[in-house]
Amino acid sequence: MMDIEVTNVAKRYGTSLAVSDVSFGVEQGHVLSLLGPSGCGKTTVMRMIAGLIAPSAGSIAIKGKPVTQIPVHKRNVGMLFQNYALFPHLDVAHNIAFGLEMRKVPKAEALKKAEAVLAMVRLEAFGARYPHQLSGGQQQRVALARALVIEPSVLLLDEPFGALDKKLRENMQLEMRQLQQRLGITTLMVTHDQDEALTLSDRIAVMRAGVIEQFGTPTEIYERPVSRFVASFIGTSNFFTGRVTAKVNGGYTVECPDGVRLGFNGTPPAEASVTVALRPEGIQVSPDAGGDPAPNRMRTTVEQIVYRGLSTHYYLRRPTGEPLVVVRQNDSGADVFAGLQPGSAVLASWAAERNLIVRDDA
Amino acid sequence: MHEGGLGKGAILLYSVTGVITFFLLVPLLFPIALSFSDTPFVVFPPKGFTLQWYWKVINEPDFTTPFMFSVQLGVFAAIGALLIGTPTAMGLTRYSFPGRGVVQGLVLSPLVFPMLVTGIALLRLFTSINSNSSLTNLVIGHTLVTVPYVIRTVSASLLLIDPSTEDAARTLGANTWMTFWRVTRPQIVPGLFAGGIFAFVTSFDNYSISMWLADAEHFPMPMAMFALISRMFDPGIAAIASLMILMSIVIVVVLERLTGLQRAMSV
């Protein structure tokens, strides 16, 4: 069952289209991330689901009930704002009790429930504090408690971790995910942070310029990007453009203008000219032993080496001058990578299944 | 030189500030000094010391009646200005719509428009619609000229608060009115308070609107003072002026204590 259903929704501001014809669903208990660069329309979509702005076209349903015509205060959504949006004039307990009071819950009972929810986010002793007396992480927990205490149909998170520093952000992400899974609450999250989307989501919708570019599981999005935009926005990719040439037994070859050949398994695509994405972690590097140019091999020179702790990034240069990025985990002992220096001539090679044909929309 | 010190320019700066303060305060200190004079006429320098003039004026119906009327008028005008000005400020700060600049200019125009002209215009209007209640006319006139103060102070307060707190309230189930009353209003108290005080003081001080709309039963304080000064020669008139100054000081202190004058004035 779909807890959130968005059908052909569009939002127009004057003559510009912020969101055009977006449709997707969020399954019960799932976390869906709307991922995209700023200005792609992801926040607009979320605010339309919350009811804070009205769509120009299309319809929205929450838990199977059409809500397009229902005002925000009757939609029963829990929303977490980027800056938490706690009420500065109310203490923590009254912040949390606010939504219950609006539902005509008697004040004493509302405050008692607020206590219980505060325990859930591990802030039992903080009921009498005011928001400005709390740290960023504590404020976020209060905001989460305030959104959850009304037992919302769905939870909406608007860039929820953007204001926290890296360490705290990672802790809060894990905590949020655990809580979400324990409560089984259907969640929609807006983010521009690909790591956040990959960490927290069951499904990701990558948005660009008001449309959904790709919808899928985190694995699908990362391993099977459909377009050049997705391949470069989530993770990094090397790109090749070439023409489909030789059709060999059980596969085919794409030949680039500089002579590099990319070997594929399976049936060739219908187009004659294609764009190929190649993830940097799929490339091996070995000493340049010369020899015949084979498919999925390329002679390069090392341009720059950047040590990043967990991994090392090698910026190679192809004979044509185009860059080729290789990423390697720093997990094994001394090997061929150890002796590499800027200027070294190396041979880059990769397996055929690493070549991904993507739509070129750059 | 310690941090934040003024260095060599300090002497010059202090002298200039001192001179300006002197020129601002002397005219105010003058009537205060005169009001204690133990002479039947206003004389300078004052002679002796007495509080009899204060006693006299607070028992003088020609002073107390207009004073009480002006307080009443000022309260009505302040309430009217808050009721009209607050929603106006909300609309102007929270929404963008075609012609917002024009509306903004229009609602603030009483600040720059000569009040004398506004007064005549109102008189003509009230005459032509047969609005004969002087009190109603005065309240409307005073509300009109005090509304811009409320709009400016409330707008300033609204710009300081986080609009997403209003969005949060709405998602939590508050309708438009509850959102305003429970979330917006408590956060803009300084602006409401300052706007109300400015409206009251402006109304209390107003002559140029009142002179067209007042009648014998509805006679505001500034007009009464003007009438009194032409027939009163004892230091009682100085005592009245001193009481007015005292009232202003009380208002400034209260405003400073409750909201911070600097913050309330920020526009």
Side-chain angles (χ1 to χ4, degrees):
Chain A
M1 183 190 152
M2 293 292 175
D3 265 2
I4 301 176
E5 254 185 300
V6 173
T7 315
N8 304 117
V9 160
K11 181 66 192 177
R12 185 181 293 280
Y13 289 108
T15 53
S16 69
L17 210 53
V19 174
S20 57
D21 201 26
V22 161
S23 300
F24 65 87
V26 189
E27 269 179 60
Q28 193 168 16
H30 271 192
V31 176
L32 172 82
S33 289
L34 294 174
L35 175 64
S38 54
C40 71
K42 56 190 192 300
T43 305
T44 309
V45 171
M46 168 170 283
R47 292 176 72 84
M48 286 192 283
I49 294 169
L52 292 168
I53 45 183
S56 311
S59 66
I60 295 163
I62 294 175
K63 290 224 181 281
K65 207 177 89 188
V67 295
T68 321
Q69 303 302 325
I70 293 178
V72 45
H73 63 278
K74 292 186 177 151
R75 287 198 189 184
N76 198 41
V77 295
M79 187 157 173
L80 208 58
F81 293 82
Q82 191 167 6
N83 51 3
Y84 320 128
L86 296 176
F87 306 133
H89 57 291
L90 298 179
D91 66 24
V92 166
H94 285 86
N95 258 282
I96 296 172
F98 184 88
L100 296 172
E101 282 179 54
M102 291 301 124
R103 282 163 178 73
K104 308 269 190 296
V105 176
K107 193 150 188 166
E109 197 188 324
L111 287 171
K112 195 178 275 179
K113 267 196 169 175
E115 289 282 300
V117 179
L118 267 181
M120 189 169 79
V121 295
R122 299 188 287 111
L123 284 174
E124 295 89 340
F126 289 81
R129 299 254 190 121
Y130 280 84
H132 67 90
Q133 298 169 310
L134 304 177
S135 71
Q138 289 167 340
Q139 288 188 31
Q140 172 156 62
R141 289 211 186 99
V142 173
L144 183 63
R146 185 179 67 175
L148 289 174
V149 76
I150 60 170
E151 292 169 24
S153 308
V154 294
L155 188 60
L156 305 176
L157 313 175
D158 182 9
E159 304 268 5
F161 309 102
L164 303 174
D165 59 57
K166 188 170 155 39
K167 195 82 192 161
L168 188 58
R169 184 161 63 222
E170 285 169 5
N171 288 338
M172 282 304 296
Q173 284 170 359
L174 289 176
E175 209 172 296
M176 176 81 85
R177 181 63 162 159
Q178 281 167 5
L179 194 63
Q180 183 272 329
Q181 284 176 332
R182 190 150 57 83
L183 299 174
I185 186 165
T186 309
T187 303
L188 180 77
M189 177 170 79
V190 157
T191 182
H192 65 269
D193 181 338
Q194 43 148 329
D195 289 327
E196 195 164 288
L198 293 171
T199 312
L200 288 173
S201 320
D202 296 293
R203 295 286 184 280
I204 295 176
V206 183
M207 284 193 70
R208 182 197 192 195
V211 298
I212 292 181
E213 187 100 348
Q214 188 172 1
F215 187 98
T217 65
T219 321
E220 281 167 5
I221 299 280
Y222 189 83
E223 292 181 4
R224 281 296 321 152
V226 296
S227 67
R228 188 176 181 129
F229 171 76
V230 176
S232 57
F233 189 76
I234 291 101
T236 42
S237 292
N238 299 294
F239 291 103
F240 301 91
T241 17
R243 294 167 44 77
V244 179
T245 53
K247 296 180 174 62
V248 290
N249 49 337
Y252 57 97
T253 308
V254 169
E255 192 162 331
C256 301
D258 62 346
V260 171
R261 285 182 298 152
L262 307 166
F264 287 82
N265 300 320
T267 40
E271 303 88 359
S273 175
V274 293
T275 299
V276 177
L278 176 62
R279 291 289 189 194
E281 65 272 20
I283 304 173
Q284 274 89 48
V285 174
S286 53
D288 189 356
D292 292 331
N296 302 331
R297 283 158 70 97
M298 193 191 297
R299 304 175 75 162
T300 62
T301 16
V302 178
E303 180 95 351
Q304 201 182 352
I305 300 174
V306 179
Y307 179 75
R308 301 268 294 254
L310 200 61
S311 60
T312 305
H313 293 213
Y314 298 86
Y315 296 91
L316 311 180
R317 197 156 288 282
R318 291 156 61 175
T320 52
E322 286 169 89
L324 184 77
V325 185
V326 176
V327 174
R328 200 184 135 270
Q329 296 285 318
N330 295 326
D331 51 0
S332 48
D335 58 357
V336 60
F337 285 90
L340 290 187
Q341 278 178 4
S344 307
V346 290
L347 189 69
S349 62
W350 57 95
E353 39 299 352
R354 293 289 183 173
N355 291 322
L356 305 169
I357 291 187
V358 295
R359 195 172 69 237
D360 194 346
D361 50 10
Chain B
M1 195 180 86
H2 59 84
E3 196 180 348
L6 294 167
K8 283 179 184 163
I11 294 165
L12 182 66
L13 196 61
Y14 282 126
S15 323
V16 171
T17 310
V19 168
I20 291 172
T21 312
F22 182 77
F23 276 109
L24 284 176
L25 285 183
V26 160
L28 298 180
L29 294 174
F30 222 71
I32 295 174
L34 295 176
S35 69
F36 296 115
S37 180
D38 191 9
T39 52
F41 296 98
V42 173
V43 292
F44 191 83
K47 290 192 178 74
F49 181 83
T50 178
L51 289 175
Q52 61 159 314
W53 306 116
Y54 285 92
W55 183 248
K56 190 188 161 206
V57 294
I58 62 172
N59 286 300
E60 165 67 64
D62 281 351
F63 167 68
T64 52
T65 311
F67 180 85
M68 288 320 289
F69 178 70
S70 268
V71 169
Q72 186 191 4
L73 180 59
V75 168
F76 283 156
I79 291 171
L82 283 169
L83 287 178
I84 297 172
T86 308
T88 310
M90 298 268 294
L92 287 172
T93 50
R94 286 286 181 267
Y95 304 99
S96 65
F97 50 88
R100 182 169 72 167
V102 176
V103 174
Q104 202 146 23
L106 213 59
V107 296
L108 296 179
S109 65
L111 285 180
V112 289
F113 214 65
M115 279 199 207
L116 211 58
V117 179
T118 310
I120 299 176
L122 282 170
L123 180 63
R124 292 300 303 263
L125 174 75
F126 292 141
T127 312
S128 64
I129 62 170
N130 273 327
S131 172
N132 295 324
S133 159
S134 181
L135 178 63
T136 311
N137 295 352
L138 278 167
V139 169
I140 293 174
H142 280 209
T143 300
L144 182 74
V145 295
T146 56
V147 134
Y149 294 97
V150 173
I151 293 173
R152 295 192 71 171
T153 57
V154 172
S155 296
S157 274
L158 282 169
L159 290 175
L160 288 177
I161 75 170
D162 177 3
S164 67
T165 56
E166 292 167 4
D167 287 344
R170 293 166 70 204
T171 62
L172 289 167
N175 60 27
T176 310
W177 169 250
M178 283 310 264
T179 301
F180 171 74
W181 192 251
R182 297 285 304 272
V183 172
T184 312
R185 181 195 53 89
Q187 294 187 75
I188 58 167
V189 163
L192 294 172
F193 201 84
I197 295 270
F198 281 134
F200 176 82
V201 170
T202 308
S203 159
F204 198 87
D205 187 49
N206 183 280
Y207 191 99
S208 40
I209 298 280
S210 301
M211 64 182 278
W212 303 104
L213 305 177
D215 63 17
E217 274 107 79
H218 306 94
F219 204 58
M221 187 65 204
M223 295 178 70
M225 279 178 80
F226 189 73
L228 280 176
I229 205 166
S230 38
R231 64 174 174 81
M232 212 168 157
F233 300 102
D234 60 39
I237 197 78
I240 293 176
S242 305
L243 288 173
M244 296 298 108
I245 293 166
L246 180 70
M247 193 176 92
S248 306
I249 292 171
V250 168
I251 286 172
V252 168
V253 169
V254 167
L255 197 59
E256 175 62 39
R257 275 295 149 86
L258 286 181
T259 65
L261 191 60
Q262 300 239 330
R263 203 172 137 206
M265 298 268 283
S266 72
V267 175

